[in-house]
């Protein structure tokens, strides 16, 4: 998966296929696609009905013969054919015609840290379906670090946490490479699920799956911080009667429910720091940790990490698109590597 910046500069487009959202960056045009990774299919005819935002809104609201599928799970393409069809429709006919004019179309794609060969192959096949003659794979951790402006090419430690929908990736970078890293199978979906399960068990309330994200309801105010409101009103469906009902939920109990899956993230940070050379850990006490990814915006998550690690924690300016913007910066030649010329004699 190690690819040179020179090879990336020859690429024409970059794709970040995430479990939650798909993003496409085209050289010279910038970020052209930022849509949910979802597609609605007619199971009787196999026809694609909708992709992206519209397909996402259909979730839980379709008749039997329409199914909403997610071709990407945990940053890995699990349905290559559907991922290709979804990408083609998201990019649009006009841009596809422009890309087809390239004599040898090259594409770059993000892959999770330590992705197995099958996952890498699936990413390559998906890009080939778009007409790419050559595909370069870049580790999501390095792409995200570049995208949020970290000086990854310098001999200094930078720690990054990519908080995705299905996984959380943690790494310490130095000299443009990953020194030590870990991938935790806990992300925004697990946190949402913890809130949903808490409300079902303790309040016998079922939340609508798509109308509003559970966290945005349950964590209004200051979210995970103890200074938030003591209770929050939540609307849903009664488990027993099936009727609409509203309940006042203790936010302290919701915070406790959310902390359970987040402890796995804290364990992952501890493991990465234990495996890291002492000199680099010393750098982190000043530089701190950079959080990127959609789930980094979870209210109070950064404060929880500050309390647990004792080091500064920062959230990137645009945490959800850092990875694809980092790939785009590499495509457009904005990143200059640190030149280490061999010494004579």
């Amino acid at each position: 998966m190690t690819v040179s910046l020179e090879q990336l500069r020859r690429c024409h487009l970059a794709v970040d296929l995430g479990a939650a959202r798909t993003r496409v960056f085209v050289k010279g045009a910038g970020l052209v696609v930022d849509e949910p990774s979802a597609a609605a299919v007619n199971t009787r005819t196999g026809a694609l009905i909708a992709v992206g935002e519209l397909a996402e809104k259909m979730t839980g609201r379709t008749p039997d013969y329409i199914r909403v599928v997610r071709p990407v799970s945990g940053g890995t393409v699990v349905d290559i054919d559907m991922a290709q069809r979804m990408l083609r429709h998201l990019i649009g006919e006009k841009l596809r015609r422009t890309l087809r004019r390239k004599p040898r179309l090259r594409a770059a794609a993000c892959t999770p840290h330590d992705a197995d060969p099958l996952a890498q192959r699936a990413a390559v096949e998906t890009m080939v379906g778009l007409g790419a003659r050559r595909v370069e794979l870049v580790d999501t951790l390095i792409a995200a670090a570049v995208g949020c402006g970290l000086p990854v090419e310098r001999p200094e430690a930078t720690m990054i946490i990519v908080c995705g929908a299905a996984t959380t990736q943690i790494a310490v970078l130095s000299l443009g490479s990953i020194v030590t890293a870990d991938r935790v199978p806990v992300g925004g979906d697990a946190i949402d699920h913890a809130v949903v399960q808490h409300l079902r068990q303790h309040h016998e309330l079922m939340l609508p799956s798509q109308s509003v994200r559970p966290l945005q309801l349950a964590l209004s105010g200051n979210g995970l911080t103890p200074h938030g409101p003591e209770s929050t009103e939540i609307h849903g469906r009664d488990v027993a009667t099936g009727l609409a009902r509203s309940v006042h939920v203790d936010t302290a109990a919701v915070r406790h429910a959310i902390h359970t899956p987040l402890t796995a993230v804290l364990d992952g940070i501890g493991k990465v720091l234990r495996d890291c050379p002492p000199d680099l850990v010393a750098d982190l006490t000043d530089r701190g940790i950079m959080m990127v990814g959609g789930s980094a915006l979870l209210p109070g998550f950064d404060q929880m990490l500050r309390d647990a690690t004792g080091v500064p924690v920062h959230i990137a300016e645009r945490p959800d698109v850092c990875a694809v913007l980092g790939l785009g910066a590499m495509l457009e030649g904005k990143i200059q590597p640190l030149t280490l010329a061999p010494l004579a004699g």
Side-chain angles (χ1 to χ4, degrees):
M1 215 190 304
T2 305
V3 57
S4 72
L5 285 172
E6 190 55 44
Q7 288 171 307
L8 285 172
R9 284 196 195 102
R10 296 175 191 158
C11 293
H12 303 99
L13 79 155
V15 178
D16 178 16
L17 274 169
R21 297 184 78 85
T22 292
R23 300 176 176 95
V24 179
F25 184 102
V26 175
K27 187 188 283 188
L31 188 63
V32 295
V33 173
D34 184 0
E35 297 264 356
S37 302
V41 185
N42 185 327
T43 54
R44 294 173 183 169
T45 63
L48 207 57
I49 295 171
V51 294
E53 204 76 52
L54 183 56
E56 179 91 345
K57 289 177 181 175
M58 289 183 180
T59 304
R61 295 182 168 88
T62 59
D64 290 343
Y65 66 92
I66 295 177
R67 191 163 57 98
V68 178
V69 295
R70 294 187 173 274
V72 185
S73 175
T76 302
V77 178
V78 292
D79 186 339
I80 296 173
D81 179 57
M82 188 54 65
Q84 289 174 347
R85 293 171 70 187
M86 180 187 77
L87 261 178
R88 280 198 291 267
H89 280 81
L90 286 175
I91 289 174
E93 184 60 36
K94 184 179 177 183
L95 186 54
R96 285 217 316 274
R97 276 202 304 269
T98 307
L99 292 173
R100 277 201 294 265
R101 292 194 196 108
K102 309 285 184 187
R104 285 186 61 83
L105 182 65
R106 288 173 175 243
C110 285
T111 52
H113 178 67
D114 278 349
D116 59 66
L118 279 176
Q120 294 181 36
R121 182 71 185 166
V124 171
E125 289 290 330
T126 304
M127 296 297 103
V128 168
L130 283 179
R133 301 288 296 275
R134 184 182 173 98
V135 182
E136 310 292 356
L137 299 180
V138 180
D139 198 302
T140 303
L141 288 162
I142 292 176
V146 170
C148 62
L150 290 178
V152 289
E153 72 282 357
R154 302 201 58 77
E156 301 164 358
T158 51
M159 188 170 190
I160 188 165
I161 301 178
V162 180
C163 310
T167 59
T168 299
Q169 301 174 67
I170 307 152
V172 173
L173 310 173
S174 181
L175 286 173
S177 299
I178 295 171
V179 178
T180 175
D182 192 26
R183 185 155 54 132
V184 181
V186 170
D189 291 347
I191 297 165
D192 281 2
H193 183 69
V195 176
V196 170
Q197 287 298 104
H198 170 80
L199 294 173
R200 188 181 181 114
Q201 290 172 5
H202 297 277
H203 299 278
E204 296 184 344
L205 192 76
M206 286 179 68
L207 287 182
S209 61
Q210 288 299 319
S211 58
V212 187
R213 278 197 63 175
L215 292 173
Q216 292 171 347
L217 284 169
L219 299 176
S220 58
N222 293 322
L224 285 176
T225 58
H227 311 295
E230 289 187 7
S231 66
T232 304
E233 187 178 16
I234 295 182
H235 310 282
R237 193 180 81 184
D238 190 283
V239 172
T241 65
L243 300 174
R245 184 161 68 91
S246 299
V247 295
H248 282 275
V249 178
D250 179 19
T251 46
V254 175
R255 279 201 304 274
H256 179 72
I258 283 173
H259 274 257
T260 305
L262 289 182
T263 51
V265 177
L266 296 178
D267 291 343
I269 292 172
K271 180 178 182 297
V272 168
L273 291 176
R274 283 194 300 273
D275 294 343
C276 195
D279 290 353
L280 293 180
V281 175
D283 284 350
L284 295 174
T285 55
D286 301 324
R287 290 185 164 278
I289 301 170
M290 180 65 78
M291 293 176 68
V292 303
S295 301
L297 297 170
L298 176 64
F301 190 12
D302 54 336
Q303 187 58 48
M304 178 188 165
L305 294 185
R306 274 188 211 104
D307 297 340
T309 60
V311 299
V313 177
H314 316 283
I315 299 176
E317 189 176 341
R318 296 179 65 190
D320 49 340
V321 293
C322 278
V324 74
L325 291 182
L327 271 183
M330 295 182 203
L331 259 63
E332 295 185 334
K334 294 178 181 176
I335 309 301
Q336 296 300 322
L338 182 69
T339 306
L340 298 174
L343 297 175

